[in-house]
Amino acid sequence: MHAITGSGWIEVISGSMFSGKTEELLRRLRRAEIAGQEIAVFTPALDDRYGETTIGTHNGRSWEANVIDNEGEGPWDIRDRLNGEMVVAIDEANFFSDALVEVCQTLAEDDRRVIVSGTDQTYRGEPFDPLPDLMAVAEYVDKLQAICAECGEPATRNQRLIEGEPAHADDPTILVGAEESYEARCRDCHVLRRD
Ligand SMILES: Nc1ncnc2c1ncn2[C@@H]1O[C@H](COP(=O)(O)OP(=O)(O)O)[C@@H](O)[C@H]1O
Ligand SMILES: Cc1cn([C@H]2C[C@H](O)[C@@H](COP(=O)(O)O)O2)c(=O)[nH]c1=O
Ligand SMILES: [Zn+2]
């Protein structure tokens, strides 16, 4: 339990793609496991890059996860599928509906440690819901940076590339992918086509 409030809490790990969000999430889970705590991990059905029932990093590390469909109960299914675990981890929060914020609040109010990871900006450089609201209600927020693929400076933005070209501003927001479609870039090197 939280030393100050005597209750649960929310930790958000955010930042650009490739910044090490999932690595950091797995590091925290390994430590919770060493401490003998029961852990439940959730991932959205939409992200199938690493196989249906795992969360994975861009450098090959993974952890077993429960897959949550955004249809039906959506993120409320997370609460229904808990079996007494007091550490709850949610990866790829950017693929969940806004209801995830209320779900995380409820879990923290039930004295749980909630660790949420997800990228905070769309490829357009706009806030990626529900991360902004999650960051606002969280007790702890870590915003990580990758390395800009163009200039080597710290990267805060997600560059979407379609056949090697910057994506157009009117493209759909959701496109599951990794190195084949995205690069980490700094503010100066991030490009968006508007023609
Ligand atoms: N441009 C980059 N900047 C930093 N790390 C990168 C970059 N491209 C690939 N990587 C690799 O990605 C790893 C982070 O992967 P991951 O934790 O899955 O990131 P995230 O969850 O933030 O997308 C790094 O440790 C590194 O090996
Ligand atoms: C910027 C942006 C990203 N996505 C997708 C691409 C990936 O599948 C995930 C982010 O994964 P990571 O673990 O943070 O590397 O989100 C998207 O659908 N739309 C976007 O604008
Ligand atoms: Zn750059």
Side-chain angles (χ1 to χ4, degrees):
M1 266 201 304
H2 199 287
I4 301 167
T5 63
S7 68
W9 69 91
I10 301 172
E11 300 166 30
V12 173
I13 307 167
S14 198
S16 71
M17 293 178 67
F18 310 101
S19 63
K21 301 183 297 299
T22 305
E23 277 180 354
E24 175 59 19
L25 177 64
L26 296 189
R27 189 186 73 85
R28 294 182 194 188
L29 294 183
R30 276 194 297 275
R31 291 173 62 86
E33 194 175 52
I34 291 166
Q37 295 161 359
E38 294 292 321
I39 302 166
V41 182
F42 297 93
T43 189
L46 207 55
D47 190 354
D48 58 1
R49 285 175 299 174
Y50 306 100
E52 275 228 327
T53 57
T54 53
I55 60 170
T57 69
H58 290 291
N59 57 8
R61 302 210 177 91
S62 64
W63 195 291
E64 284 299 306
N66 301 286
V67 178
I68 299 292
D69 215 317
N70 247 333
E71 306 303 315
E73 273 210 89
W76 287 106
D77 202 22
I78 293 174
R79 206 177 55 161
D80 297 345
R81 286 166 69 174
L82 289 176
N83 196 14
E85 298 92 344
M86 295 308 280
V87 178
V88 180
I90 303 158
D91 200 20
E92 303 293 350
N94 48 288
F95 286 144
F96 281 105
S97 68
D98 291 350
L100 183 65
V101 183
E102 206 43 49
V103 172
C104 291
Q105 294 271 64
T106 308
L107 296 175
E109 278 152 25
D110 286 345
D111 298 339
R112 292 188 166 89
R113 176 186 181 190
V114 185
I115 317 172
V116 196
S117 166
T119 190
D120 56 350
Q121 291 183 23
T122 69
Y123 75 95
R124 298 184 200 91
E126 296 166 345
F128 204 155
D129 291 332
L131 267 301
D133 285 2
L134 280 169
M135 289 160 98
V137 300
E139 275 78 3
Y140 304 100
V141 177
D142 287 288
K143 180 155 167 156
L144 309 183
Q145 297 179 341
I147 306 295
C148 176
E150 284 287 300
C151 73
E153 291 292 314
T156 53
R157 301 236 175 336
N158 298 314
Q159 178 68 52
R160 182 185 286 174
L161 298 172
I162 309 284
E163 294 170 359
E165 295 299 318
H168 196 276
D170 292 339
D171 290 346
T173 298
I174 299 296
L175 173 70
V176 175
E179 295 83 2
E180 75 294 345
S181 334
Y182 292 94
E183 282 180 359
R185 297 229 186 145
C186 71
R187 182 186 286 273
D188 283 350
C189 297
H190 183 257
V191 186
L192 194 57
R193 274 183 34 233
R194 293 184 187 279
D195 46 84

